[in-house]
Each structure stands twice: as C-alpha cells, then as structure tokens.
Amino acid sequence: MANYDLTQRIAPNLDRHLVFPLLEFLQERQLYPDEQILKSKIELLNKTNMVDYAMDIHKSLYRTDDVPQDMVERRAEVVARLKALEERAAPLVSFLQNANAVQELRPDKHYNLQMLSDRYQIGPDQIEALYQYAKFQFECGNYSGAADYLYQFRALCTNSERRLSALWGKLAAEILMQNWDIALEELNQLKEKVDDAKSFSSPLNQMQSRIWLMHWSLFIFFNHDNGRTLIIDLFNQDKYLNAIQTNAPHLLRYLATAFIVNKRRRPQFKDFIKVLQQELSSYKDPITEFLACVYVNYDFDGAQKKMKECEEVILNDPFLGKRVEEGSFATVPLREEFLENARLFIFETYCRIHQRIDMAVLAEKLNLNYEEAQRWIVNLIRSSKLDAKIDAKSGTVIMEPPQPNVYEQLIDHTKALSGRTYKLVSQLLEHAQTQAAR
C-alpha cells in the first residue's frame, strides 16, 4: 500500500526532526526497502547536529565499524560549537538556574531587561545567545533542554519574529518528547499567532503557516485523548479548510477519518461531504472515496470494496496506524473503531432508501457473515441506535417509519428567525432615518 503513503507530501511541511518518527514507522511496516529508509535517514541527519546517530546508521547501512572522516570532523565541529554557545549563554543560564534570582522577574518584559542589565550585566547579546544555544541543543537531539531554554527565552524576548520561531521550536520539541498535553497548549498558542494577520508580510505566508500548523498538529491529534474532536474544530474552520483545498488536499484523509470515528460532529458532516466531492479531482484515497461512495454516489458495492482498502491505509499510515501493545500482541485501536463506524454509515444510508432489507444482502455490504450481521443489527436495536425489527422467518430487517420530532421541527422552523428579525429591524431603522431626513 505504498501507493497511498503520504510521507513525501507531508515531509516538506514538517521540521526535519519530525520526519524521523515517520521514517521509523515506515521501516517498521516494511513499506520500502530497509536500505532506502536508512539512506533517507542519513540524508536528513546530514542537515542536523545529530552526528552520533548518523554514524550509527552509517555503520548499520554499510555493515562496517568504520565511519567516514568527514563525519568525524563534523562531530568535532559540533562539540566545539556547542561549548562556545554554552559559554556565551552561561551568564543567563546561571541566572535562570538561581531560584531566588528568578523570583525578581515580573510580567513586564522591559522591567526585566533593565533589571537584568543593571544587576546582572545581562543584555540582548546574552538573551540572543540563549536562543542560539537552545536551537543548537534541538539540532543535537536534546529536545528536553531545548524546550526548557526556549520557554525561558520567550519570557524575555521582545522580538516578535524570534518569539514566533521559539514557539515553533518548543512545539516540535514537545511533540518529539510525546508530551501531548503540553504540545496541545503550545499548538493553541501558536494558532493565535498564525491567525494574527499582523504577524505576516502577506496572506500567502499566513496560509503557508496554517498548512504547516495543520501538518504538525497531526502528531498531537492522533495521540491526544480528545484529538479526534479537536482536529475537526481546527481543520473544519473556513480559513483552514480553504488552505487545505488550495495547497494540501491530502489532509482531507485525516479530517475524513475524524468525521467517521466521531459521530457527534454530524451537523458539520454534510458540508464536509460537499467539500470532499469538490476535491475528488485533486485528491482521493480509499478513505475519501469510501465517503463518496456512501454519500455522493450511493454505491454500496463500491463502499464495501473501499472498506477493505481503508483498513490497509489505516494500518500503513503513521498517524492513523498507531499501535498499542497488549501483552505479546499489538493492536491498532483506530482500525476497529473506523470499521465499526464505517459499517454504521453504510447501514444508515442504505436504510434511508429501503424499508425492507434482506439480511444476507446487508451482511455482504457490511463485510460480515450472516450471523455477525444479525448480531450487529440486534445490538444496534438494543442500544436504541436503530428503529427497526428483524423478521426471522423471511430473514429481513424491517425499518420503522420515522416519527416526526416536534422539538426538531420547532428548531427547524425557528432557526432562521433571529436573522430575519435582524433584517426586519435594519429595514425599519433605515426607513425611519429616511423619514427623519425629509
């Protein structure tokens, strides 16, 4: 299923350090030859300061204990540069490690800068040195140290560009350490900056930052407990959905998956199907095609075939295919959840256009055998998710006609009332002002 692998589309929108978990997943799933993955890792590492890791991969790739001389020289350069940055940042690092001294800091950054200069002879050069030291630590793979220093840097920095860069760095570090709650907080802070037009020189730059933010957020949303709801909150906003349609239609896979496994978001689902239909010419995979089969083309045989392909896509996707170890076994929780809800989607849509349904036909369309389909439908009826009864003699499911809900009818009739009232009041005021002018 390498045909549906999105790594080459996703990687350009990530920090190179965030690409490593994707490569690790692909290597584990053996979607590509091991040699190809190792070469990709070395290529990435050559642009970082993780020289020791690069040396280990080189030994593994070429089955040797020797490493090239340029790697040895590069390692010496990295160590020397790290020591130099450490010395430059030492006065400020020493201050930040002194709990009593840190208590002198206030929310007012200008006061803090003046106080640091007067009492500790720490100025803008030392603050910039802290940023460079934190960035270098990140490039060396010390994500914990980088996160701490970037947090402290942001508390002192008055340069908006540097603060934004530090936000991105802190988010990447928390993702790589798998601190999902903290990473979500950083993501929300960064979103505020990204949504502020003043932070960007052009709308195009702002849209690109939104695309980066959505790609980075995938790590959080498919690992955080509430992530599948939060991804809909973010991706389904007009400005973010527009960015997806413009430059990143492959992200529709993840939004589609979130809608399928999150049934509480149905009010927004109809509008999403329209977007999906519009974008089928620019991007499609088994997951988006499954929804098109069910809700656009009403092709239930096609949906059944796509369900099998969806399972493979999920298992081989670095975000959707997260594995959980249970004893000596590893399971993919999202796989079962997706298939269960996908069957429900097929069943609900099929039932809308049929009053009496042959159980054998239904079992085939749900990719279940007859007994499994019967148990599945009985469970739906028992849990009040389905208003129907089973005729055991004829082997059919008989749908009960839906009874009109008075409350829903009332809401439908009155939901546009506020808009109409506002329009009427505006017209009356306009008329009154015209009369007064005469």
Side-chain angles (χ1 to χ4, degrees):
M1 293 295 285
N3 292 339
Y4 298 115
D5 175 36
L6 295 179
T7 305
Q8 291 185 2
R9 292 195 185 196
I10 291 173
N13 296 287
L14 299 176
D15 180 275
R16 58 179 63 91
H17 288 254
L18 294 175
V19 179
F20 285 111
L22 307 189
L23 294 179
E24 292 286 351
F25 180 89
L26 295 178
Q27 188 173 16
E28 179 186 331
R29 293 295 298 163
Q30 298 181 341
L31 288 184
Y32 299 95
D34 207 47
E35 182 180 346
Q36 185 178 344
I37 297 290
L38 291 173
K39 285 182 177 178
S40 297
K41 284 184 178 181
I42 286 183
E43 187 178 344
L44 272 176
L45 288 167
N46 286 339
K47 299 173 184 175
T48 73
N49 295 326
M50 299 166 70
V51 187
D52 289 340
Y53 186 25
M55 288 178 172
D56 290 339
I57 292 177
H58 178 89
K59 292 175 183 177
S60 176
L61 177 60
Y62 296 104
R63 296 177 177 83
T64 178
D65 291 331
D66 299 324
V67 293
Q69 184 61 29
D70 62 335
M71 281 190 172
V72 176
E73 293 173 357
R74 169 76 174 142
R75 188 183 189 283
E77 289 175 9
V78 168
V79 171
R81 175 69 175 155
L82 182 63
K83 287 183 178 178
L85 287 171
E86 188 176 10
E87 289 175 5
R88 285 178 56 197
L92 184 51
V93 170
S94 178
F95 168 82
L96 293 169
Q97 290 174 344
N98 185 332
N100 293 327
V102 169
Q103 289 180 355
E104 298 181 48
L105 295 174
R106 297 181 184 178
D108 185 348
K109 289 186 181 181
H110 294 289
Y111 167 84
N112 291 337
L113 294 176
Q114 190 63 47
M115 182 271 292
L116 286 171
S117 177
D118 294 343
R119 299 185 190 177
Y120 298 94
Q121 291 73 52
I122 295 173
D125 290 345
Q126 284 74 31
I127 294 173
E128 173 63 17
L130 181 66
Y131 171 81
Q132 296 295 340
Y133 183 50
K135 189 171 183 293
F136 203 84
Q137 290 275 12
F138 180 88
E139 291 298 335
C140 289
N142 180 10
Y143 305 123
S144 177
D148 290 341
Y149 291 135
L150 287 171
Y151 174 80
Q152 293 161 340
F153 170 79
R154 276 161 45 197
L156 299 171
C157 177
T158 56
N159 183 300
S160 57
E161 287 186 13
R162 274 283 189 260
R163 277 181 56 79
L164 186 60
S165 176
L167 265 174
W168 284 105
K170 178 74 158 54
L171 174 60
E174 298 298 348
I175 288 172
L176 289 161
M177 291 189 292
Q178 300 183 11
N179 294 331
W180 304 121
D181 288 331
I182 300 174
L184 181 60
E185 292 174 11
E186 296 296 332
L187 181 74
N188 290 331
Q189 287 189 51
L190 188 54
K191 181 181 178 295
E192 290 181 15
K193 295 293 183 184
V194 167
D195 287 340
D196 183 4
K198 296 176 184 176
S199 302
F200 301 93
S201 57
S202 71
L204 188 62
N205 290 338
Q206 186 177 26
M207 183 183 72
Q208 183 58 59
S209 291
R210 285 194 176 118
I211 290 171
W212 289 337
L213 186 75
M214 286 187 285
H215 281 87
W216 292 36
S217 73
L218 294 174
F219 290 95
I220 302 168
F221 291 147
F222 287 101
N223 284 285
H224 194 277
D225 291 340
N226 201 31
R228 297 172 200 174
T229 298
L230 296 174
I231 190 174
I232 296 175
D233 292 338
L234 179 64
F235 284 29
N236 209 49
Q237 291 180 33
D238 287 344
K239 50 200 172 186
Y240 285 88
L241 198 53
N242 288 339
I244 290 174
Q245 290 178 271
T246 304
N247 270 355
H250 54 275
L251 291 178
L252 290 171
R253 171 187 291 184
Y254 303 103
L255 185 52
T257 302
F259 269 117
I260 290 171
V261 299
N262 191 333
K263 291 173 288 188
R264 291 178 297 173
R265 292 285 166 165
R266 290 295 174 81
Q268 301 159 309
F269 186 60
K270 290 181 181 178
D271 292 332
F272 174 68
I273 292 297
K274 293 176 185 176
V275 172
L276 205 63
Q277 189 176 2
Q278 292 170 3
E279 297 302 320
L280 281 174
S281 59
S282 60
Y283 175 77
K284 59 184 177 182
D285 64 28
I287 293 175
T288 61
E289 287 180 305
F290 167 78
L291 288 178
C293 285
V294 176
Y295 290 100
V296 179
N297 304 321
Y298 301 105
D299 177 6
F300 300 105
D301 291 331
Q304 176 198 357
K305 293 175 184 175
K306 290 299 171 187
M307 266 184 69
K308 295 177 182 177
E309 294 178 19
C310 287
E311 187 174 2
E312 289 300 313
V313 169
I314 289 169
L315 291 174
N316 293 313
D317 185 286
F319 301 106
L320 307 181
K322 175 189 173 186
R323 282 159 174 72
V324 175
E325 299 292 335
E326 295 180 358
S328 58
F329 299 98
T331 61
V332 180
L334 191 137
R335 170 182 168 272
E336 292 302 325
E337 197 173 347
F338 180 96
L339 293 176
E340 175 69 17
N341 286 316
R343 289 189 188 105
L344 190 58
F345 276 35
I346 293 175
F347 186 71
E348 287 177 347
T349 308
Y350 195 77
C351 289
R352 287 196 197 107
I353 54 179
H354 296 85
Q355 188 173 4
R356 184 182 288 269
I357 307 164
D358 187 281
M359 188 79 74
V361 173
L362 192 58
E364 182 184 351
K365 300 201 181 298
L366 296 175
N367 280 336
L368 299 172
N369 63 41
Y370 189 90
E371 289 74 18
E372 288 172 339
Q374 192 173 38
R375 283 198 301 270
W376 189 75
I377 293 167
V378 167
N379 289 334
L380 283 181
I381 295 171
R382 284 177 177 171
S383 61
S384 302
K385 291 181 180 178
L386 178 65
D387 193 6
K389 60 184 179 182
I390 296 175
D391 185 339
K393 289 184 179 179
S394 61
T396 58
V397 180
I398 302 170
M399 303 304 302
E400 297 291 342
Q403 299 296 324
N405 187 307
V406 176
Y407 298 105
E408 289 181 359
Q409 288 180 327
L410 184 62
I411 290 170
D412 287 339
H413 287 304
T414 59
K415 63 184 178 181
L417 192 59
S418 60
R420 292 174 186 169
T421 305
Y422 177 79
K423 188 174 182 180
L424 180 61
V425 170
S426 299
Q427 289 174 341
L428 288 172
L429 288 173
E430 185 178 345
H431 179 70
Q433 289 171 354
T434 304
Q435 292 293 330
R438 290 179 181 173

